[in-house]
Amino acid sequence: MEGRVTKYTGKKALVMGDSLTKAGRWQKKLTELLGFEVATQARGGAGFISIVDGDPEGFVHPEASMHRLGVDDVRDAELIVYFAGYNCREMPYGEDSDLYPDQRTVKGCIQYVINRIYEELAAADNLTCKLLFVTPHCHGLYPYRNTDGYYEDPVTGMSTKRLGETIAHVCERNNIPVCDLWSESGISCFNWCVFGREPFTENTQYTKYELDEKGNVIGTEPLKYEKGQTYIQIRDGKPTPELYETGGAFPYIGDQLHCSPAGYERIGECIVGSIIKHYGI
């Protein structure tokens, strides 16, 4: 299909999301396979609301701050793809009647996002624009959180799978198609070593347990790192005090939530397939 002229060739797709979209990888498939010209509105660590409302005033982030979605962003869009949720895994799911900001739940936030997108589409006189929401895929661990996509909270029952189902439920109530990466991408624990950013589950550059000044393990529980704290690491075979400034609380965990080039390609191909399924080619 590469190089084939489709009904989307030369038309604009706006993709919106968090770090998996900010990477700028999966959306290349929209251009390669469908001919879209792609604009991206994304930031690492972004939650549901900031993607459409922008970052709050005074918010500082190492990446460029996100702006509020506006008429100019959607005026010429043939398609909008909204792909988020990884940073909202602890948010309660809520009720069908919820609406942010009164209810800060997944259902309330997704309904608000849909309302905001249509608010700008109406103002731009572009209500024929196609929408596609994308659910999180079955991911592995990563340094900011030591639970993978299969983890289900024993108290709340919350999981990445249920999060995706909740997003899809709100979209169904609003007649918006969904690309279900959890069920349809084929990414799972069997192949995180291929599709995850790192092929390993443990990053041996960082100690998992506290060490003494001689390099002996003295901790019995896995460490939870804090920025600005000093930890003894093994460097060039020697115990070395080292200030921790990287970020994630679990740096000894390999990143298998974000993707390798093959992982982003797989996600992009699935999204393209969903576009064709729901809107044709």
Side-chain angles (χ1 to χ4, degrees):
M1 187 184 290
E2 185 174 355
R4 176 180 177 181
V5 175
T6 76
K7 67 179 183 179
Y8 306 115
T9 299
K11 295 186 177 180
K12 175 184 173 181
L14 172 63
V15 302
M16 310 177 72
D18 51 32
S19 57
L20 274 79
T21 300
K22 179 67 175 178
R25 300 289 191 86
W26 68 259
Q27 54 264 55
K28 290 181 178 179
K29 287 297 178 181
L30 302 187
T31 301
E32 176 187 334
L33 301 179
L34 296 177
F36 275 113
E37 295 179 0
V38 178
T40 298
Q41 161 87 339
R43 178 179 57 70
F48 293 129
I49 301 302
S50 61
I51 294 170
V52 293
D53 275 359
D55 291 322
E57 185 176 352
F59 181 87
V60 178
H61 195 274
E63 301 174 12
S65 295
M66 300 185 75
H67 68 273
R68 180 178 172 84
L69 183 70
V71 171
D72 290 342
D73 297 308
V74 305
R75 189 186 309 281
D76 301 321
E78 177 74 13
L79 169 74
I80 295 174
V81 180
Y82 183 92
F83 177 23
Y86 298 95
N87 300 307
C88 302
R89 284 186 280 158
E90 294 181 353
M91 182 178 288
Y93 300 140
E95 305 296 330
D96 286 353
S97 59
D98 287 357
L99 182 63
Y100 175 90
D102 291 338
Q103 290 82 33
R104 295 173 182 260
T105 63
V106 174
K107 289 183 178 181
C109 287
I110 294 299
Q111 185 60 60
Y112 178 86
V113 166
I114 293 169
N115 293 354
R116 279 283 296 117
I117 292 173
Y118 271 115
E119 175 187 6
E120 300 303 336
L121 287 173
D125 193 23
N126 188 19
L127 289 172
T128 60
C129 179
K130 302 169 180 66
L131 267 62
L132 181 75
F133 275 56
V134 183
T135 70
H137 70 292
C138 181
H139 56 83
L141 304 173
Y142 82 130
Y144 283 85
R145 183 162 173 168
N146 63 344
T147 55
D148 61 27
Y150 295 107
Y151 176 78
E152 182 175 297
D153 188 284
V155 177
T156 65
M158 295 167 68
S159 67
T160 300
K161 182 175 185 291
R162 285 196 62 201
L163 172 63
E165 291 170 346
T166 304
I167 294 170
H169 172 76
V170 179
C171 289
E172 181 182 12
R173 294 180 66 242
N174 286 270
N175 312 103
I176 295 173
V178 172
C179 175
D180 180 6
L181 287 183
W182 177 275
S183 300
E184 298 173 358
S185 69
I187 298 176
S188 70
C189 60
F190 295 105
N191 51 36
W192 287 332
C193 57
V194 175
F195 294 127
R197 174 183 284 177
E198 295 170 334
F200 48 81
T201 57
E202 294 186 9
N203 183 357
T204 56
Q205 286 295 106
Y206 294 92
T207 182
K208 185 174 182 179
Y209 298 95
E210 184 181 2
L211 305 178
D212 64 17
E213 66 278 1
K214 295 181 179 180
N216 299 313
V217 174
I218 57 174
T220 57
E221 296 291 332
L223 286 167
K224 190 171 183 178
Y225 281 63
E226 296 181 19
K227 279 186 179 181
Q229 297 298 311
T230 298
Y231 301 89
I232 294 176
Q233 308 289 351
I234 302 300
R235 301 289 182 246
D236 297 324
K238 300 177 181 178
T240 305
E242 186 173 282
L243 184 67
Y244 182 66
E245 299 179 297
T246 302
F250 312 100
Y252 46 82
I253 294 177
D255 184 353
Q256 294 187 335
L257 181 146
H258 298 93
C259 298
S260 67
Y264 284 120
E265 283 195 7
R266 174 64 65 85
I267 285 174
E269 289 164 350
C270 288
I271 292 174
V272 166
S274 193
I275 293 167
I276 295 171
K277 172 184 175 181
H278 293 293
Y279 295 119
I281 190 172

